């Protein structure tokens, strides 16, 4: 019975772990989706900027300093995009690990439930065996009581017969 309770407690812990992992997965998927959308827009803007040649860009500005400011801004944006891509890759890898952990925990939960079913079956079987043994013992006790009563009646009859014979 202790083993069944222990297994039930382990199953409860596994279910809580799975719920926690589900929440982490949802959170990471939301983070990836949110940042992927922004990242896609940034990549489209950079792609548009890269389609313009350096000379065309240079000629768009009235002053050289404006050109350099735009050039530096573009470089900063590219660095930021690389950083965001790395962050998204990290988040994706963490998501994958979390999903793998969830799968492992689900497998563990399945094993625990299988163990619990086995332990429950053993407990039921043991209880049935005890009940059957108790019933058998009560039947035997009842049978022995009948035999004892019969022997006592026979003894009493014998003693009465013996008294009759002695009194003759």
């Amino acid at each position: 019975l202790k083993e069944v309770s222990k297994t039930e407690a382990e199953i409860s812990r596994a279910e809580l772990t799975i719920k926690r992992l589900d929440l982490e997965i949802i959170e990471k998927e939301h983070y990836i989706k949110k940042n992927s959308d922004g990242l896609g827009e940034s990549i489209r803007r950079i792609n548009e900027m890269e389609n313009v040649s350096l000379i065309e860009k240079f000629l768009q500005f009235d002053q050289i300093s404006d050109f350099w400011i735009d050039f530096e801004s573009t470089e900063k944006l590219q660095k930021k995009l690389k950083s965001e891509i790395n962050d998204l890759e990290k988040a994706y890898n963490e998501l994958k690990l979390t999903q793998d952990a969830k799968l492992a925990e689900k497998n563990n939960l399945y094993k625990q439930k299988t163990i619990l079913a086995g332990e429950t079956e053993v407990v039921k079987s043991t209880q049935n065996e005890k009940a059957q043994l108790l019933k058998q013992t009560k039947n035997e006790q009842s049978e022995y009581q009948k035999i004892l009563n019969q022997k006592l009646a026979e003894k009493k009859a014998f003693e009465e017969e013996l008294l009759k014979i002695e009194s003759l």
Side-chain angles (χ1 to χ4, degrees):
L1 208 52
K2 288 181 182 179
E3 290 298 317
V4 171
S5 296
K6 179 182 173 187
T7 304
E8 286 174 341
E10 289 175 4
I11 287 171
S12 294
R13 279 193 299 274
E15 287 172 341
L16 289 174
T17 301
I18 288 172
K19 286 179 183 177
R20 180 184 53 81
L21 292 173
D22 280 340
L23 291 174
E24 287 179 15
I25 287 170
I26 290 169
E27 182 182 303
K28 285 185 172 105
E29 285 174 341
H30 178 71
Y31 173 81
I32 289 171
K33 170 99 174 85
K34 178 183 160 192
N35 287 321
S36 293
D37 294 343
L39 188 61
E41 181 59 34
S42 297
I43 289 173
R44 280 189 285 285
R45 284 193 354 223
I46 285 182
N47 203 17
E48 289 172 5
M49 288 188 270
E50 287 180 350
N51 286 335
V52 177
S53 71
L54 197 56
I55 294 173
E56 288 175 315
K57 246 186 197 181
F58 183 75
L59 293 176
Q60 288 176 355
F61 297 97
D62 294 332
Q63 296 181 1
I64 293 178
S65 61
D66 292 338
F67 169 76
W68 284 113
I69 290 171
D70 183 63
F71 184 77
E72 287 176 358
S73 296
T74 303
E75 276 189 2
K76 284 180 184 177
L77 180 60
Q78 287 176 341
K79 285 180 183 177
K80 185 175 182 196
L81 285 176
K82 285 181 184 179
S83 174
E84 287 181 16
I85 289 170
N86 288 337
D87 290 346
L88 283 177
E89 285 177 349
K90 181 180 175 187
Y92 177 78
N93 290 335
E94 288 173 357
L95 174 64
K96 187 71 177 145
L97 289 173
T98 304
Q99 288 173 330
D100 290 346
K102 179 183 173 184
L103 180 61
E105 199 61 41
K106 279 187 175 182
N107 288 337
N108 181 40
L109 179 60
Y110 176 75
K111 288 177 187 176
Q112 293 300 327
K113 285 185 177 183
T114 302
I115 289 170
L116 178 62
E119 289 173 351
T120 303
E121 191 61 37
V122 167
V123 168
K124 284 180 183 177
S125 176
T126 302
Q127 288 174 341
N128 289 339
E129 287 175 11
K130 283 181 181 179
Q132 188 177 7
L133 184 60
L134 182 61
K135 183 179 177 183
Q136 182 182 357
T137 303
K138 284 184 178 183
N139 287 341
E140 288 176 1
Q141 180 184 5
S142 178
E143 195 62 37
Y144 288 134
Q145 192 65 43
K146 286 179 187 177
I147 293 171
L148 179 63
N149 290 338
Q150 183 183 1
K151 294 295 179 187
L152 287 174
E154 287 176 6
K155 177 184 174 191
K156 187 176 180 184
F158 177 75
E159 286 175 351
E160 288 175 2
E161 194 64 37
L162 187 61
L163 277 175
K164 282 182 187 179
I165 293 174
E166 287 179 353
S167 57
L168 287 177

